[in-house]
Amino acid sequence: MNSFVYIEDDPHSREVMTILLRQVMGFEQVTVWEHGQNLIERLASLPYQPSTFLLDIHMLPVSGYEIHDTLRAHADYAHACIIAVTASVMTSDIHKLREYGFNSLIAKPVKMQQFPLLLRQILNGQAVWVV
Amino acid sequence: VFNNLATQAVIFRKNFAVDIENNMSEIVQGMIWAGSGLIVFLGLVGLNGLLFIRRLNDAQKALSKANIDMNRANNLLEVRVSERTRDLQLAADISKTSAQILELDKLLPQVVQQTARAFNLYHVVIALVDADRQEIVFKTRANRQGIITSTQRLSIGLDTRPSLIARAIRDKELVLVNDVSKSTSYMPQAELPNTRAELTVPLMVRGQVLGALDLQHDQGNHFTFDHQRLFSTLAEQIAVAIDNARLHESEIKTAEELRKVDKLKSQFLASMSHELRTPLNSILNFTEFVASGIFGEVNQQQVDALKKSIASGEHLLSLINDLLDVSKIESGMMELFIEEVQLGPILDEVANTARALIHEKPITFRQEIAPNLPPIRADKRRLKQILLNLASNAVKFTSKGHITLTADIQGDELLFSVADTGLGIEPESQKLIFEPFRQSQSGLSSGGGTGLGLPICKHLTEAHGGKIWLESTVGQGTTFFIRIPTQRETPIPV
């Protein structure tokens, strides 16, 4: 069962992703947060253990990179699928994401026609780096 | 001598004649007279001879003295010549050293110290003009022991009087005072009590005065005409060296500033790209959601309107992506992710997009794809980007006829082409269109695009180790060709 946590500070982007995951793709276990503070405590309070994380990168005070590291350092999420969903797609950003150990990247803006296909590929175990 | 002799002879003859006319005793007496006259005569001859010999001696002495003087002068000349040769050599050494140093902070101390030592000078200064502050700054000073270090900034006004340095700089002329006690231009300095002679030479480049080379000696009348010429030449060399060093420093500064500007530009583009993409995420997706009917039923007119909105949003996104690509290319950050690529799906996608773009235009889209094309090692996304760019250009500039996409294998290379029956490209534009922000006349008049598509295609093709070119006839159409090696492990840095 696929379950998601999406962390994103832009409210409209949160809404877009919620619609894509719930209404377009039909997933039910979707949690959307606006920041990554107290992450582990909040994860523990969820009724399910998320298998896939979608992370915006440029966020304050906790960046997507830091959230990634926090997750990887925790036994429950060390092997979770972590996808960067970011509008920062300079070569240096992409290198940094790869170095950190993100599983995939889907650049913003995401596309309604394309996103479901890409996400399914990722959930099937492929690494997808789409700018 | 002979005059004397003649006079004596006349006297003698007169006496003798008189004596004969008188009596004999007088003859005897006369003979005595004659004898004594003879004696006197001989004596006089002898005396004259002696005098003559003495004069001969004197001449000889004078001659030998002249000889000695000449030898002495010769020696002196030789010394002077060797001194001058040595001085010229020293000056040449200094200018050679100065030409090799490109940092002003190292150049001036080296020159000043070397000059003081080489010419045994009491004090040497290089002063430079600070035009902004109307000042002369004493940059570096040295004496026979070496550099005089000073932490404070020593300067005088350009209009300072008396000052040989200020005068030389103002007048752009050499100033020489060989006895400072008698000069009104000389400015006595407490820390230089022994200065007796001072020579100041302006440092000139291209008619501009940069400053002055000031030389002081503790012996009066030290500086000769040769010195003036020597130090004038040296000053010219030093001025050129200073000018070079300044140019070098300003080049370094400019390069640093350019690097900073470049970094700022990259940062700006990166953040601009991020800031523009984020709202597009909402614009495109909410429009798509409405158009797809997930928020409720929409009629065809509404769908059409929303689709146009989406198309415009996507166009805006492609422009942002082009700008981002160019900034990546220009900062050398464009990298390819080389992998094994199957060409079939890529060519299908290009064909589908081209057909969608043609929409209702009277254009037929044709594919001439060689069978069994092998997979190639390339960046899949970038290869698709190149072909899509060429296909969408073809659609944009063709109003009727056909567009043909071909792919063929030639040896170990793949040859793609996109041919159209469109406007064609004027010969003078054919090279320009691969340069950023340069569009052909028809490109400009079409009002579309950023003029970045083809430069990006060129860069991406070359980064694959390939080549892009075109053939075109105005009014008949254009064909773009791309040749890419099938096997390449690493991208080519372009």
Side-chain angles (χ1 to χ4, degrees):
Chain A
M1 184 84 169
N2 287 304
S3 52
F4 302 88
V5 165
Y6 179 46
I7 306 176
E8 162 71 77
D9 60 359
D10 174 46
H12 290 157
S13 294
R14 284 203 296 276
E15 210 179 321
V16 165
M17 186 59 80
T18 308
I19 293 165
L20 283 172
L21 292 174
R22 285 183 184 277
Q23 288 177 254
V24 177
M25 295 188 76
F27 293 115
E28 287 167 10
Q29 295 184 334
V30 177
T31 301
V32 178
W33 287 333
E34 64 175 294
H35 64 80
Q37 290 169 286
N38 309 318
L39 185 65
I40 299 301
E41 289 94 314
R42 287 195 286 155
L43 284 172
S45 70
L46 287 178
Y48 60 92
Q49 184 178 316
S51 59
T52 304
F53 291 85
L54 297 146
L55 304 180
D56 182 28
I57 299 303
H58 289 273
M59 292 187 287
L60 290 173
V62 186
S63 75
Y65 296 116
E66 290 168 281
I67 294 171
H68 171 276
D69 281 359
T70 306
L71 291 171
R72 291 281 187 241
H74 195 280
D76 290 349
Y77 312 106
H79 302 290
C81 176
I82 304 179
I83 305 166
V85 183
T86 175
S88 292
V89 285
M90 298 299 283
T91 312
S92 53
D93 299 312
I94 298 169
H95 274 296
K96 201 170 167 188
L97 291 170
R98 284 178 187 269
E99 276 166 24
Y100 263 80
F102 280 81
N103 296 88
S104 287
L105 159 72
I106 299 176
K108 272 193 281 188
V110 299
K111 287 166 192 158
M112 189 192 156
Q113 313 300 334
Q114 190 193 31
F115 179 81
L117 302 172
L118 295 176
L119 187 58
R120 294 234 180 263
Q121 284 180 20
I122 296 168
L123 296 177
N124 285 335
Q126 287 185 46
V128 168
W129 292 80
V130 171
V131 176
Chain B
V1 170
F2 291 103
N3 279 344
N4 277 339
L5 210 66
T7 318
Q8 303 299 330
V10 170
I11 294 167
F12 173 72
R13 213 178 63 184
K14 270 187 184 165
N15 288 343
F16 191 66
V18 171
D19 286 347
I20 290 174
E21 278 169 28
N22 296 334
N23 51 51
M24 275 307 287
S25 65
E26 279 180 338
I27 288 174
V28 175
Q29 200 185 353
M31 285 181 74
I32 294 165
W33 270 104
S36 53
L38 192 64
I39 289 164
V40 169
F41 166 73
L42 287 174
L44 282 169
V45 168
L47 190 67
N48 275 313
L50 277 173
L51 278 169
F52 177 70
I53 288 164
R54 222 167 106 188
R55 282 193 192 172
L56 210 63
N57 262 341
D58 284 351
Q60 230 164 18
K61 269 186 195 162
L63 199 68
S64 67
K65 187 170 177 288
N67 246 333
I68 291 165
D69 285 350
M70 212 159 81
N71 279 334
R72 212 176 271 159
N74 236 339
N75 289 338
L76 204 68
L77 201 68
E78 267 173 33
V79 170
R80 286 281 298 281
V81 165
S82 74
E83 269 179 8
R84 174 127 179 87
T85 311
R86 188 206 62 189
D87 283 357
L88 285 172
Q89 186 57 52
L90 290 171
D93 288 347
I94 295 168
S95 65
K96 195 174 158 192
T97 319
S98 70
Q100 288 164 348
I101 307 175
L102 279 171
E103 296 88 18
L104 206 57
D105 292 345
K106 288 180 189 163
L107 169 72
L108 297 182
Q110 180 61 36
V111 166
V112 166
Q113 176 170 298
Q114 212 174 330
T115 306
R117 289 214 175 126
F119 297 101
N120 189 29
L121 291 160
Y122 176 57
H123 190 254
V124 177
V125 178
I126 285 181
L128 295 181
V129 175
D130 183 337
D132 294 340
R133 299 163 81 154
Q134 287 290 296
E135 273 182 351
I136 298 162
V137 183
F138 292 71
K139 283 291 190 186
T140 319
R141 303 182 299 143
N143 56 26
R144 291 184 182 111
Q145 280 72 50
I147 291 290
I148 303 167
T149 49
S150 161
T151 48
Q152 71 192 99
R153 184 177 187 269
L154 295 173
S155 64
I156 57 172
L158 260 177
D159 53 358
T160 303
R161 289 183 178 82
S163 160
L164 260 56
I165 292 178
R167 198 177 117 188
I169 287 171
R170 275 198 307 271
D171 298 351
K172 300 183 181 179
E173 268 176 16
L174 174 147
V175 184
L176 170 61
V177 172
N178 253 331
D179 183 355
V180 295
S181 65
K182 288 178 186 159
S183 169
T184 51
S185 301
Y186 172 71
M187 177 168 68
Q189 282 171 281
E191 71 268 29
L192 299 170
N194 299 333
T195 299
R196 293 291 172 271
E198 182 171 358
L199 173 63
T200 310
V201 195
L203 297 167
M204 309 271 297
V205 165
R206 297 181 295 269
Q208 290 280 313
V209 62
L210 307 181
L213 171 66
D214 181 73
L215 314 149
Q216 300 183 20
H217 206 275
D218 43 12
Q219 281 171 5
N221 288 317
H222 172 77
F223 296 109
T224 61
F225 180 68
D226 281 347
H227 279 132
Q228 295 178 45
R229 290 209 314 204
L230 179 78
F231 287 117
S232 293
T233 309
L234 183 58
E236 277 171 32
Q237 314 277 359
I238 294 172
V240 168
I242 291 172
D243 193 49
N244 281 341
R246 282 180 169 174
L247 279 176
H248 179 70
E249 279 173 12
S250 85
E251 268 171 26
I252 288 175
K253 217 172 139 190
T254 309
E256 270 170 19
E257 275 164 13
L258 279 177
R259 261 195 297 276
K260 265 188 222 159
V261 168
D262 207 54
K263 206 178 162 193
L264 277 176
K265 193 185 79 177
S266 295
Q267 282 170 352
F268 168 75
L269 279 165
S271 84
M272 186 199 73
S273 157
H274 177 265
E275 295 309 313
L276 292 175
R277 279 164 162 267
T278 302
L280 269 177
N281 196 39
S282 309
I283 294 168
L284 285 172
N285 284 293
F286 282 119
T287 316
E288 287 268 19
F289 294 156
V290 177
S292 67
I294 59 172
F295 292 160
E297 213 176 305
V298 277
N299 64 38
Q300 194 53 46
Q301 197 184 6
Q302 288 166 329
V303 170
D304 288 347
L306 293 168
K307 290 283 178 200
K308 283 173 192 160
S309 181
I310 291 164
S312 294
E314 276 171 353
H315 181 59
L316 183 56
L317 179 62
S318 75
L319 298 184
I320 295 167
N321 286 341
D322 279 359
L323 277 173
L324 194 64
D325 280 349
V326 165
S327 91
K328 282 180 185 171
I329 289 168
E330 287 189 345
S331 58
M333 297 293 281
M334 174 64 85
E335 286 179 36
L336 301 184
F337 297 109
I338 299 290
E339 57 185 339
E340 192 167 282
V341 178
Q342 299 293 337
L343 290 169
I346 290 181
L347 293 170
D348 285 346
E349 200 176 324
V350 172
N352 289 339
T353 307
R355 287 200 179 94
L357 290 170
I358 289 169
H359 195 50
E360 288 176 344
K361 277 188 179 180
I363 301 171
T364 46
F365 185 83
R366 305 194 295 220
Q367 286 188 80
E368 292 171 12
I369 312 297
N372 305 322
L373 286 176
I376 70 167
R377 291 197 63 81
D379 184 319
K380 190 166 131 190
R381 186 169 71 88
R382 297 304 189 178
L383 183 59
K384 199 161 71 187
Q385 184 181 352
I386 298 167
L387 294 171
L388 278 175
N389 207 308
L390 296 182
S392 74
N393 273 352
V395 176
K396 201 194 302 184
F397 296 113
T398 306
S399 52
K400 61 181 199 295
H402 44 261
I403 292 169
T404 312
L405 170 68
T406 75
D408 197 6
I409 185 117
Q410 291 193 341
D412 52 3
E413 288 179 324
L414 271 169
L415 181 70
F416 299 95
S417 77
V418 178
D420 65 47
T421 53
L423 289 170
I425 299 164
E426 314 87 69
E428 59 269 27
S429 296
Q430 290 185 12
K431 274 182 185 164
L432 289 183
I433 57 171
F434 289 111
E435 288 173 28
F437 303 106
R438 301 293 285 271
Q439 284 179 297
S440 67
Q441 208 49 48
S442 43
L444 287 170
S445 56
S446 81
T450 49
L452 296 175
L454 287 173
I456 294 169
C457 285
K458 181 173 192 280
H459 180 91
L460 292 176
T461 307
E462 287 172 1
H464 276 92
K467 194 172 180 293
I468 184 169
W469 73 100
L470 69 95
E471 289 170 7
S472 184
T473 309
V474 174
Q476 290 184 24
T478 305
T479 306
F480 280 90
F481 297 91
I482 294 165
R483 207 169 53 207
I484 290 178
T486 49
Q487 296 298 318
R488 179 172 290 281
E489 282 307 313
T490 48
I492 305 281
V494 178

